[in-house]
Amino acid sequence: QKEVEQDPGPLSVPEGAIVSLNCTYNSAFQYFMWYRQYSRKGPELLMYTYSSGNKEDGRFTAQVDKSSKYISLFIRDSQPSDSATYLCAMSATQGGSEKLVFGKGTKLTVNP
Amino acid sequence: DTAVSQTPKYLVTQMGNDKSIKCEQNLGHDTMYWYKQDSKKFLKIMFSYNNKELIINETVPNRFSPKSPDKAHLNLHINSLELGDSAVYFCASSQDQGWSDTQYFGPGTRLTVL
């Protein structure tokens, strides 16, 4: 079983919909990140958090539930410009070494 | 101004060849990374350098050798290319080496091994 699992989708929603993207994990990660990757571009960091609970930034809300080992990214009032692949990423420092693991990414299409 | 740049953008080559990909960042960051994204979009870190020193060296064949001549550059040399090396390779940089620090990714180099 992979350390980080993410439903690859694809996910297609109408403009204005609320989008929910999710990842589960099975290791002791400390930092949780969401990246957005447009087609044929490098990933860009959207949000990061290190504690359980919600973190909001504009139309984006990142949610972490450490007890269930589950993280989510919510996009409110989705726009066609949100169409991209969204990758979750998790990191940990263990025994002096660093670890970073990405999910496979969920491809999102927002239809006008 | 491009923050993180990579050359070449596309690379098509035959099995067994040796090739290099170059990465440069003009952000004044201390840490640089190489990632591999396979055909299924799975992104995996390969190497991390901090101030020209190797910090992370994931389980990567020793045919892959990173070289950091200075803080602003991290090149990736690949010997004896194999079909399975076909992927998009991303370079990234961040101010510090902690994972909470924002990483800025380059545009990627699409490597195709025939």
Side-chain angles (χ1 to χ4, degrees):
Chain A
Q1 187 184 7
K2 287 201 186 322
E3 286 184 280
V4 177
E5 298 277 2
Q6 182 176 8
D7 186 344
L11 188 59
S12 182
V13 301
E15 184 174 353
I18 296 175
V19 176
S20 171
L21 304 164
N22 311 296
C23 288
T24 58
Y25 61 97
N26 59 19
S27 291
F29 290 109
Q30 296 155 336
Y31 291 101
F32 305 90
M33 293 148 279
W34 284 97
Y35 284 82
R36 177 175 61 197
Q37 185 177 19
Y38 290 112
S39 182
R40 296 187 176 259
K41 300 284 187 185
E44 56 176 325
L45 181 67
L46 273 180
M47 299 185 75
Y48 79 84
T49 184
Y50 52 85
S51 56
S52 282
N54 293 351
K55 181 177 181 179
E56 196 172 311
D57 183 3
R59 295 184 296 110
F60 298 90
T61 300
Q63 186 178 77
V64 174
D65 183 344
K66 287 190 177 181
S67 60
S68 302
K69 295 192 173 179
Y70 188 90
I71 70 169
S72 298
L73 178 71
F74 297 98
I75 308 174
R76 288 187 301 280
D77 187 24
S78 55
Q79 304 294 311
S81 58
D82 296 328
S83 297
T85 296
Y86 290 80
L87 302 107
C88 63
M90 306 183 191
S91 66
T93 304
Q94 294 173 344
S97 67
E98 307 273 347
K99 181 166 72 171
L100 174 67
V101 182
F102 281 82
K104 276 197 166 186
T106 300
K107 185 172 182 179
L108 171 68
T109 301
V110 180
N111 302 300
Chain B
D1 251 358
T2 305
V4 182
S5 59
Q6 294 177 229
T7 54
K9 197 168 183 181
Y10 299 96
L11 185 53
V12 181
T13 188
Q14 300 285 336
M15 271 176 56
N17 284 350
D18 302 339
K19 290 292 178 186
S20 291
I21 307 172
K22 295 186 176 182
C23 178
E24 177 181 359
Q25 54 96 1
N26 62 9
L27 297 167
H29 287 168
D30 289 340
T31 307
M32 296 184 73
Y33 313 80
W34 275 110
Y35 291 85
K36 178 181 179 181
Q37 188 172 47
D38 63 23
S39 58
K40 296 181 180 177
K41 298 293 188 182
F42 190 56
L43 192 64
K44 188 174 168 63
I45 190 163
M46 300 173 69
F47 303 103
S48 168
Y49 269 73
N50 181 262
N51 274 317
K52 302 196 303 175
E53 286 190 28
L54 183 64
I55 301 298
I56 291 175
N57 184 359
E58 291 291 313
T59 306
V60 174
N62 57 16
R63 298 181 294 103
F64 290 80
S65 53
K67 284 185 174 52
S68 183
D70 55 59
K71 251 177 38 168
H73 296 84
L74 181 62
N75 304 323
L76 184 65
H77 189 74
I78 316 170
N79 288 328
S80 304
L81 278 156
E82 300 178 357
L83 292 176
D85 298 332
S86 295
V88 180
Y89 292 84
F90 286 101
C91 175
S93 74
S94 64
Q95 183 59 59
D96 294 313
Q97 58 180 303
W99 292 118
S100 61
D101 210 28
T102 302
Q103 291 188 30
Y104 295 83
F105 282 76
T109 296
R110 186 172 293 272
L111 171 65
T112 303
V113 182
L114 303 174

